[in-house]
Amino acid sequence: MAAGSGAEEEAAAAAVGGDGGPLAPAAPGRAQVFAAVVDTFLEKLVAAGSYQRFASCYRCFYKLQPEMTRSIYDQFVSQLQTSIKEEIQEVKDEGNLEVLFNSLDKIVEEAKNQEEPAWRPSGIPEEDVRSAMVPYLLKHRSYLRKVLKEKEEENRKVAESVLAGRDKIAELQQLIEARKHTWQAISKEQRELIMMFKEPQ
């Protein structure tokens, strides 16, 4: 019983805040708010185009076929809602709104834990621009320096590789030249030897 009581106490503690009161419900995300706005818009749209107004526009047909009029209205409203939802979903997909909403929620949530006050304009445009641009420019300069250093290192390695290749080519040329001279000397000796053993005519 003691173990069960402890678990119940932990569950009860998790359900309340640090001050003993109940936890406040989490604020809905921007994606949920957007979906709620769309639903509200559709509800108001359907309410504005009520069945009574639809029937009054087609009064003669309504008097002849009330059930058919109702069926046509229901189909019209259903297709209208589906079409609007599909177009809104297409806009959300093209604009990547779901990811943007989540990113905004994350930024706002992270900002709650920041102790430093948020940036506010000083009223002097030059100083505001400088304070906003200088950190960016310094960061960009550091990036460019890093890229320049990497390129210089890459060029140095390429230059070393080219020089090594030239040295290798020079060595091969010297080797070819030496073998050429050796071959010429051997050929000369062979000719002289042949001439020595050749019978006089």
Side-chain angles (χ1 to χ4, degrees):
M1 291 297 291
S5 177
E8 292 176 358
E9 290 178 358
E10 291 179 0
V16 298
D19 56 355
L23 285 173
R30 282 167 174 74
Q32 294 176 331
V33 172
F34 181 81
V37 170
V38 172
D39 292 339
T40 303
F41 164 74
L42 291 175
E43 290 175 3
K44 291 185 177 181
L45 180 65
V46 173
S50 62
Y51 175 66
Q52 288 76 13
R53 293 184 178 181
F54 183 83
S56 65
C57 292
Y58 303 95
R59 187 173 302 173
C60 295
F61 184 78
Y62 168 72
K63 290 180 179 180
L64 294 174
Q65 296 287 343
E67 295 182 358
M68 180 67 69
T69 305
R70 183 71 193 192
S71 176
I72 293 174
Y73 171 78
D74 291 340
Q75 292 180 16
F76 169 74
V77 170
S78 176
Q79 292 179 3
L80 179 63
Q81 289 178 326
T82 301
S83 177
I84 292 174
K85 288 182 178 179
E86 288 177 352
E87 292 210 9
I88 292 176
Q89 185 62 43
E90 185 176 348
V91 171
K92 287 174 64 178
D93 294 339
E94 290 180 356
N96 205 16
L97 296 185
E98 196 77 24
V99 175
L100 294 177
F101 286 148
N102 293 335
S103 298
L104 285 173
D105 292 338
K106 185 178 179 181
I107 291 172
V108 172
E109 190 64 27
E110 291 176 351
K112 293 179 181 178
N113 300 325
Q114 292 181 356
E115 297 180 358
E116 297 181 359
W119 180 85
R120 295 290 185 273
S122 65
I124 304 175
E126 293 80 3
E127 293 185 1
D128 293 337
V129 171
R130 189 182 302 111
S131 63
M133 292 298 296
V134 167
Y136 167 77
L137 293 175
L138 290 175
K139 183 178 180 180
H140 191 60
R141 185 178 68 176
S142 299
Y143 169 75
L144 291 178
R145 284 179 175 176
K146 180 182 177 182
V147 172
L148 178 61
K149 186 177 181 180
E150 292 176 352
K151 290 298 180 182
E152 289 177 345
E153 181 67 18
E154 182 178 344
N155 292 338
R156 185 186 63 80
K157 291 181 179 179
V158 171
E160 291 179 353
S161 177
V162 171
L163 292 175
R166 289 179 179 176
D167 294 339
K168 186 66 176 178
I169 291 173
E171 291 178 2
L172 289 175
Q173 288 177 339
Q174 291 177 0
L175 180 61
I176 292 172
E177 194 68 22
R179 290 186 177 179
K180 177 182 176 183
H181 291 317
T182 302
W183 175 254
Q184 289 176 346
I186 293 174
S187 298
K188 183 179 180 181
E189 292 177 357
Q190 288 179 345
R191 287 195 299 271
E192 291 177 352
L193 186 61
I194 292 173
M195 292 299 296
M196 288 176 59
F197 290 99
K198 190 175 182 181
E199 296 180 359
Q201 296 181 354

